[in-house]
Structure formats: structure tokens, C-alpha cells
């Protein structure tokens, strides 16, 4: 079942092409990771998926009534503001104690309900943001550099938890990250973006694609082998390759 479908999507800012002819489908229950260098258009793509930005040309189709949960790259909260985790989950719209506790449990941080947001560690803060994204039992969970600032073991634990959330809720997950070996190990499908889709497919195939290695080097393939986990379902072994010249205009 298709949750999101992008057809020939292009985005221009001030005459510069940021994304060019993107065709992408997100299906129910799959984990899709978007990787790409700085300025490749990853955040712009997410904004189109969410609906915060409209494409210059092309189309975005969403399943009727699609519930989306979003974990941002970062969120600044004034450290002098007295704000508990429970109160944070009720901003800007109040949620019941039952829903709040359920979301915190799903995120693995139910013990933090009365903790001050300013007192949380980086990993705890990201788990609370995840809980906020899970309040409405999303069908599609979107994470934009959600582990930025965490160390490698912390990132690995976070993405392992995302896999558990996916299995529990049956939701699809769309992730953007620079942590190539960790997120690719957690993914069903990887999309390499540099203003356009350079290559896509199962992680082990993208890691050996010339277009991917031209952008990220050869070292990530070995790292992927160390972190890859076995899935209990099959993948499409094909990799779709496109010309991947550097795109200086992408932001």
C-alpha cells in the first residue's frame, strides 16, 4: 500500500534548481533512508513530503487521512523555561494522560514524564521528541537528522528503537541522516540524493553503487557490513542508477 507518491517533483528557489524530477514511493511498513551530501536537497524533499513546501513542478500524493509523525533535526527550548516532559507533550494542544504515557512508553522513556526538559540528556531529549511524534499513532514516521549530536552508540540504539517502533505500529519510516553505516543498516531501502536521485535500492547494493561511492568514498561499505542486521522479509535486489554529477545549486 502506497502512503506517499512523488511524481516528477522539482523544486526551484530563486532560479536555482534544488530538486530535479524526483520519483519516489513510500509504502506501508518499510524503512526508507535518504542519504546525500550537504546541500543535496534532503530537507527540501522532506518538506515537500510533509506538505510544508509545494513543488515547483510535479505532484505529491498522500493516502487519504494519512497520519504523519515528525521528529525534527533539532529543537531549541529555553533552558530557563520550567517545562516538564508531560507538559511539553501537551503543547500546543492538550493530550490525555493515557495518550501521553502510551507515547512515552513507545519511545522507551516513560520514567521521564515529570522530568524537566532542560535536564534531559541528548538521547533522552530525542526520545521525548519521538514520543511527541508518536502521539497520534502515525502511519508514516519522518526523522530529519534525528540523532544529530548523539555519539555513535547512542545513534545505533536510537535507530534500533525505531525498528522496534516500526514493528509495533506497522508504520513506514522515512529518515534523513549523515550517519551512513548506522542508518543504512537499519533500512529496507536507501535513496542517494544529490539534487536528483543518484541511485536507490537495498542498502548493500547502494553501498557498492559507483554513484554512491563517488559521493561518500569507499570506506562506508565495510562499515555497513559491520552494522547490517538481517531482515525477516525480502527486498528488491535491484538498484536504479542515474547520472550523479555534483549539483552545486542544491541546498
Amino acid at each position: 500500500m502506497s502512503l506517499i507518491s512523488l511524481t516528477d517533483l522539482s523544486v526551484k528557489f530563486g532560479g536555482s534548481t534544488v530538486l530535479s524530477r524526483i520519483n519516489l514511493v513510500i509504502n506501508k511498513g518499510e524503512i526508507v533512508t535518504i542519504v546525500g551530501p550537504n546541500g543535496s536537497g534532503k530537507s527540501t524533499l522532506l518538506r515537500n513530503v510533509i506538505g510544508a513546501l509545494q513543488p515547483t513542478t510535479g505532484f505529491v500524493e498522500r493516502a487519504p487521512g494519512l497520519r504523519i509523525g515528525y521528529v525534527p533535526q533539532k529543537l531549541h527550548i529555553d533552558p530557563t523555561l520550567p517545562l516538564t516532559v508531560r507538559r511539553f507533550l501537551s503543547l500546543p494542544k492538550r493530550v490525555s494522560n493515557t495518550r501521553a504515557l502510551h507515547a512515552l512508553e513507545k519511545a522507551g522513556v516513560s520514567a521521564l514524564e515529570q522530568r524537566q526538559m532542560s535536564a534531559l540528556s541528548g538521547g533522552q531529549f530525542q526520545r521525548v521528541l519521538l514520543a511527541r511524534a508518536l502521539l497520534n499513532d502515525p502511519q508514516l514516521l519522518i526523522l530529519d537528522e534525528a540523532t544529530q549530536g548523539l555519539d555513535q552508540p547512542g545513534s545505533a540504539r536510537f535507530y534500533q528503537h525505531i525498528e522496534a517502533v516500526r514493528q509495533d505500529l506497522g508504520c513506514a519510516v522515512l529518515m534523513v541522516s549523515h550517519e551512513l553505516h548506522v542508518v543504512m543498516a537499519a533500512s529496507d531501502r536507501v535513496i542517494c540524493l544529490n539534487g536528483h536521485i543518484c541511485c536507490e535500492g537495498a542498502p548493500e547494493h547502494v553501498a557498492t553503487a559507483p554513484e554512491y561511492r563517488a559521493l561518500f568514498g569507499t570506506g562506508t561499505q565495510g562499515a555497513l557490513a559491520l552494522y547490517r542486521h538481517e531482515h525477516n522479509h525480502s527486498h528488491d535486489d535491484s538498484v536504479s542508477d542515474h547520472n550523479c554529477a555534483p549539483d552545486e545549486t542544491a541546498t
Side-chain angles (χ1 to χ4, degrees):
M1 174 183 172
S2 174
L3 300 179
I4 293 281
S5 179
L6 280 58
T7 305
D8 286 333
L9 181 144
S10 295
V11 178
K12 293 183 178 181
F13 293 139
S16 296
T17 299
V18 179
L19 293 173
S20 177
R21 304 199 67 176
I22 303 295
N23 291 285
L24 171 64
V25 174
I26 307 296
N27 296 309
K28 180 180 179 180
E30 67 174 341
I31 297 182
V32 178
T33 296
I34 299 173
V35 299
N38 290 332
S40 61
K42 299 186 297 296
S43 292
T44 298
L45 180 59
L46 288 192
R47 291 171 65 192
N48 276 270
V49 169
I50 294 169
L53 183 67
Q54 297 300 313
T56 305
T57 59
F59 305 94
V60 179
E61 295 181 75
R62 301 174 186 85
L66 179 65
R67 300 187 306 276
I68 296 177
Y70 176 66
V71 180
Q73 184 177 122
K74 56 186 176 181
L75 180 67
H76 175 73
I77 295 178
D78 189 331
T80 65
L81 182 68
L83 182 65
T84 65
V85 168
R86 174 65 185 88
R87 176 60 178 158
F88 172 73
L89 294 182
S90 278
L91 295 176
K93 184 179 180 180
R94 182 172 178 79
V95 299
S96 69
N97 288 331
T98 299
R99 282 178 56 203
L101 184 58
H102 179 71
L104 289 170
E105 288 176 347
K106 293 290 186 187
V109 286
S110 56
L112 300 181
E113 183 181 9
Q114 296 305 320
R115 186 81 63 86
Q116 291 290 322
M117 292 292 294
S118 59
L120 301 179
S121 68
Q124 290 171 336
F125 192 93
Q126 289 308 112
R127 290 291 187 100
V128 171
L129 291 183
L130 174 61
R132 185 185 179 94
L134 296 177
L135 282 171
N136 292 318
D137 291 329
Q139 297 163 293
L140 174 62
L141 179 62
I142 298 178
L143 303 99
D144 185 4
E145 298 281 2
T147 60
Q148 190 175 58
L150 301 185
D151 60 18
Q152 186 168 299
S155 296
R157 287 192 297 270
F158 184 87
Y159 287 121
Q160 287 169 358
H161 194 79
I162 293 300
E163 166 67 15
V165 167
R166 185 269 292 264
Q167 292 183 359
D168 185 33
L169 296 182
C171 64
V173 180
L174 177 61
M175 305 189 295
V176 163
S177 182
H178 285 103
E179 296 166 310
L180 302 175
H181 55 287
V182 177
V183 297
M184 288 179 72
S187 303
D188 298 314
R189 183 157 52 102
V190 175
I191 294 168
C192 185
L193 188 70
N194 194 25
H196 59 284
I197 294 178
C198 304
C199 55
E200 63 179 305
E204 56 268 30
H205 294 283
V206 170
T208 60
E211 294 80 5
Y212 172 84
R213 300 178 80 171
L215 289 173
F216 298 110
T218 60
T220 52
Q221 183 182 358
L224 175 62
L226 292 175
Y227 284 88
R228 184 177 60 220
H229 68 272
E230 296 300 326
H231 296 290
N232 58 7
H233 52 279
S234 62
H235 296 295
D236 179 0
D237 286 339
S238 64
V239 179
S240 174
D241 297 330
H242 309 276
N243 182 34
C244 190
D247 188 341
E248 299 295 337
T249 64
T251 58

